[in-house]
Amino acid sequence: MLTDRQLLILQVIIEDFIHSAQPVGSRSLSKKDEITFSSATIRNEMSDLEEMGFLEKTHTSSGRIPSEKGYRYYVDHLLSPQAPKKNEMKLLKSVFVERIYELEKIVQKSAKILSELTNYTAIVLGPKVNEHKLKKIQIIPLSPETAIAIIITDTGHVENRMISLPPSFDINEIEKMVNILNARLVDVPLTDLKDKIYKEVAVLLSRHIQNYGSMVSVLADTLTDTKPEKIFFGGKTNMLRQPEFHDIAKVSTLLSMIEQEQGFYELITQNPTGIHVRIGRENQNTVLDDCSLITATYSIGQEQVGTLAILGPTRMEYSRVISLLSFFSRDLTTLMTKLYQK
Amino acid sequence: MLTDRQLLILQVIIEDFIHSAQPVGSRSLSKKDEITFSSATIRNEMSDLEEMGFLEKTHTSSGRIPSEKGYRYYVDHLLSPQAPKKNEMKLLKSVFVERIYELEKIVQKSAKILSELTNYTAIVLGPKVNEHKLKKIQIIPLSPETAIAIIITDTGHVENRMISLPPSFDINEIEKMVNILNARLVDVPLTDLKDKIYKEVAVLLSRHIQNYGSMVSVLADTLTDTKPEKIFFGGKTNMLRQPEFHDIAKVSTLLSMIEQEQGFYELITQNPTGIHVRIGRENQNTVLDDCSLITATYSIGQEQVGTLAILGPTRMEYSRVISLLSFFSRDLTTLMTKLYQK
DNA sequence: ATTAGCACTCAGAGAGACAGAGTGCTAACA
DNA sequence: TGTTAGCACTCTGTCTCTCTGAGTGCTAAT
């Protein structure tokens, strides 16, 4: 439906606009090497492209800027994947050379590097904790009424939570209880803990522990109230560098949304495996009307565990970001699989 | 050296400017209830105050704004402490009514509430971890080469770190080692751990564990590489709401500094106990030239453990913020003392 | 010592002019 | 018939000018 020439023009306009942030006019286009025809011809084609909804004008006699539909077409059909440059690769790999083991630290560092490399905001969804299996439970009494429960998963994730002991609870029975818990619950996925506690462990505890009743519910609550997967951000204020956000009123709601890290969980987990691009209003959130979000997933073995995302203006360097994300998610998957696959 | 009338004028100008963010003119001043003399008189006094360095003009025929020296004088001599309002008090107290036990969560919530109450950026320095004493060490093997070390302090702080086991290390000896460590190191302040490991524990380990040498250094490194006290922020983007920062160029370096949380540790730990105000260039940091920082300390028992701080424009509601901080730090001290004092 | 009055200053808003970059349309061209 | 040259037109951004309002500083009167 689009001629080759129209495709070329659309592509060049979008790529020009991505770098200049200025509406692109026919005359400046005609000067480019890849364009061999005159500005008048370009004007005609532009006019057609506008009619079809791929381009827009900011005012009657301005140059053209891509519409959301234009970006969408560009992303779907015109992208030329470009391998990251040497020095970019080096920076990417730097996440992996340091000997870091904790999942969360790797994830955090990833967010930092991705944001530095792109100059956009990086959002990385950490590993899904509750699909991991229990390695060990520890309960350490602090005072007659309080104790710390520590849960260690097979992926090296440690979570700890204060619990208040039931008043009737005999502190000396903690060790006994912990033994029972460990004997029964090791290798159980975190999601199944609650169930298992009520179904199996409660009975056991009742045999050995006095006043076990209230303790069971405290335990069950504590152990299953696992945090949702943690989100890490990098370059939260990078949006300020984009010329389209040089207006405080516009950027401030966006920045507070980013600061509070709210709503991003749903936003970046909507997509299945692979790389996905959501442009402007496709995000279904007025705050993000001028933003695009690119998401990629990473895995441990076959199991998808997390998401990488880059949030930038709709005028985003799609091909660069997509390449970076696809390289990075592949490397991250390799690393994670090596480190954590059973 | 300043007459009562000059003091009154200075105070009214500052308080007016704090609320309006506009230069204050003689005529608008003369209309205020507390001012009984004419605008011409005020002009004369203003001129004197300017000569003495307490006021400034933005241009030759503008109204006056306070200088740093003016704010300083105001903070030192003219502040009228005002008790927080009922609903503010209620919000303040809300940190304490929920049954949260972990120090860090209390601290984090404090930052949030302080920032919401003031509309400025709150910075809260968490408890000094390494002055706390070791309650328990756990080492849990994950794979033949890696294990997790978990350190629990008497204040309920849990830290965990992956360690890579020396290749020659026999995984079955971990339990033995942990027992030795716990027998020797419990109740030792975190700061003294390294010393104690080399001086006392190494000898013991050498008797019971093969290849103890490399393990000792791994342990010592791991256990003493404690993070510095953690800093929590609230309202990181609140600066955007201040009219003096309605210019992106001005605010963006400030915001990135806040985002990276860098440099604030030194900034807010400079002061001894009590409430301190640093105004504009007193902060010794060009990025903060237009900002003021108010710090307060809180304690557990007699031991000072942390700092609360509010970062705002130099045109800050000093008296309100100071009152809030002093109330809050007192309450926080009470709570922490009750919860954690031995 | 205080105040009224007046000349002066400056920022900010609004109007008009102008250059530059762009468009759309028409007519000529290959 | 598709392409191009040419021209009239449009809109933005910038500059300048003017005007107003809010302010000052100074002087003379109270």
Side-chain angles (χ1 to χ4, degrees), chain B residues 45-99:
Chain B
E45 298 286 28
M46 279 171 143
S47 175
D48 291 350
L49 284 167
E50 183 176 358
E51 210 166 302
M52 288 184 272
F54 294 108
L55 296 177
E56 286 172 356
K57 284 192 278 195
T58 57
H59 58 88
T60 40
S61 72
S62 77
R64 302 304 206 290
I65 62 171
S67 66
E68 280 184 19
K69 186 176 168 189
Y71 284 123
R72 172 48 62 198
Y73 193 89
Y74 173 74
V75 166
D76 289 344
H77 302 106
L78 299 175
L79 273 186
S80 45
Q82 46 182 137
K85 295 192 195 112
K86 278 258 170 62
N87 50 347
E88 293 179 343
M89 279 303 243
K90 211 169 138 194
L91 208 57
L92 278 184
K93 298 279 186 198
S94 75
V95 179
F96 308 121
V97 294
E98 279 181 51
R99 304 202 96 220

Side-chain angles (χ1 to χ4, degrees), chain A residues 120-121 123 233 235-242 244-264 267 280 283 285-293 311-314, chain B residues 237 240 248 255:
Chain A
Y120 304 127
T121 301
I123 309 166
F233 282 75
K236 278 184 177 177
T237 56
N238 278 4
M239 284 295 176
L240 289 172
R241 305 190 193 181
Q242 301 300 332
E244 42 265 82
F245 292 112
H246 261 19
D247 164 39
I248 291 263
K250 212 173 175 186
V251 85
S252 91
T253 48
L254 178 58
L255 276 198
S256 3
M257 178 171 167
I258 293 177
E259 191 213 334
Q260 298 183 244
E261 311 192 350
Q262 254 170 18
F264 283 99
L267 212 54
N283 287 302
N285 183 329
T286 47
V287 181
L288 302 180
D289 274 359
D290 300 319
C291 299
S292 283
L293 186 75
L311 180 71
T314 44
Chain B
T237 55
L240 289 172
I248 293 264
L255 276 197

Side-chain angles (χ1 to χ4, degrees), chain A residues 17-230:
Chain A
F17 183 70
I18 283 177
H19 289 104
S20 70
Q22 297 296 328
V24 186
S26 58
R27 219 176 105 71
S28 69
L29 262 197
S30 70
K31 286 183 189 148
K32 304 222 167 199
D33 289 346
E34 54 274 55
I35 305 281
T36 53
F37 27 89
S38 79
S39 64
T41 311
I42 296 172
R43 279 201 291 283
N44 292 330
E45 298 287 27
M46 279 173 145
S47 176
D48 292 349
L49 284 168
E50 183 176 358
E51 210 166 303
M52 289 185 272
F54 295 108
L55 295 179
E56 288 171 356
K57 284 193 278 195
T58 58
H59 57 88
T60 40
S61 72
S62 77
R64 302 304 207 290
I65 61 173
S67 67
E68 279 183 21
K69 184 175 171 190
Y71 283 124
R72 170 52 59 199
Y73 193 91
Y74 173 74
V75 167
D76 290 343
H77 303 106
L78 299 175
L79 273 187
S80 43
Q82 47 181 138
K85 296 192 194 111
K86 278 259 170 61
N87 49 348
E88 293 178 343
M89 279 303 241
K90 214 170 135 193
L91 208 55
L92 278 183
K93 298 277 187 200
S94 74
V95 179
F96 310 120
V97 293
E98 279 182 50
R99 302 203 97 221
I100 4 178
Y101 296 104
E102 282 107 308
L103 268 181
E104 293 199 353
K105 281 197 188 146
I106 298 175
V107 168
Q108 189 154 34
K109 184 132 189 242
S110 303
K112 183 157 176 278
I113 285 190
L114 281 174
S115 70
E116 282 168 6
L117 223 43
T118 57
N119 264 319
Y120 304 127
T121 301
I123 309 166
V124 182
L125 183 63
K128 278 197 197 148
V129 175
N130 43 7
E131 292 196 358
H132 300 172
K133 291 173 188 156
L134 186 74
K135 181 95 186 183
K136 188 157 199 162
I137 293 180
Q138 279 283 307
I139 297 179
I140 291 128
L142 283 182
S143 73
E145 306 95 36
T146 58
I148 299 188
I150 300 176
I151 306 163
I152 300 117
T153 71
D154 54 351
T155 48
H157 178 81
V158 177
E159 245 183 90
N160 61 282
R161 204 166 290 118
M162 284 258 190
I163 56 180
S164 56
L165 302 172
S168 54
F169 194 77
D170 180 355
I171 210 168
N172 299 310
E173 298 195 304
I174 283 189
E175 202 182 325
K176 221 193 288 175
M177 185 175 73
V178 171
N179 286 338
I180 296 175
L181 290 173
N182 274 309
R184 283 286 147 176
L185 297 179
V186 165
D187 277 342
V188 172
L190 295 194
T191 31
D192 303 347
L193 277 184
K194 190 170 198 161
D195 212 42
K196 199 112 176 173
I197 287 177
Y198 280 115
K199 284 203 185 133
E200 297 185 17
V201 180
V203 194
L204 269 173
L205 285 181
S206 71
R207 274 189 230 145
H208 300 279
I209 311 270
Q210 289 187 315
N211 289 313
Y212 74 100
S214 53
M215 196 59 212
V216 165
S217 63
V218 166
L219 270 179
D221 286 351
T222 308
L223 295 185
T224 53
D225 166 31
T226 47
K227 299 169 206 155
E229 301 82 325
K230 230 172 161 180

Side-chain angles (χ1 to χ4, degrees), chain B residues 5 37-38 40-41 43-44 59-61:
Chain B
R5 195 166 67 188
F37 27 90
S38 78
T41 310
R43 279 202 292 283
N44 292 330
H59 58 88
T60 40
S61 72

Side-chain angles (χ1 to χ4, degrees), chain B residues 200-264:
Chain B
E200 299 185 14
V201 181
V203 194
L204 270 173
L205 286 180
S206 70
R207 276 189 228 145
H208 300 279
I209 313 269
Q210 290 187 317
N211 290 314
Y212 74 101
S214 54
M215 195 61 212
V216 164
S217 63
V218 165
L219 269 180
D221 285 352
T222 308
L223 296 186
T224 53
D225 166 30
T226 48
K227 300 168 205 155
E229 300 83 325
K230 229 173 163 182
I231 295 190
F232 296 87
F233 283 74
K236 278 183 178 177
T237 55
N238 278 3
M239 284 295 177
L240 289 172
R241 305 190 192 181
Q242 301 300 332
E244 43 265 83
F245 293 112
H246 262 19
D247 165 39
I248 293 264
K250 212 174 175 187
V251 85
S252 89
T253 48
L254 178 58
L255 276 197
S256 3
M257 178 171 167
I258 293 177
E259 192 212 334
Q260 297 184 246
E261 312 192 350
Q262 255 169 17
F264 283 98

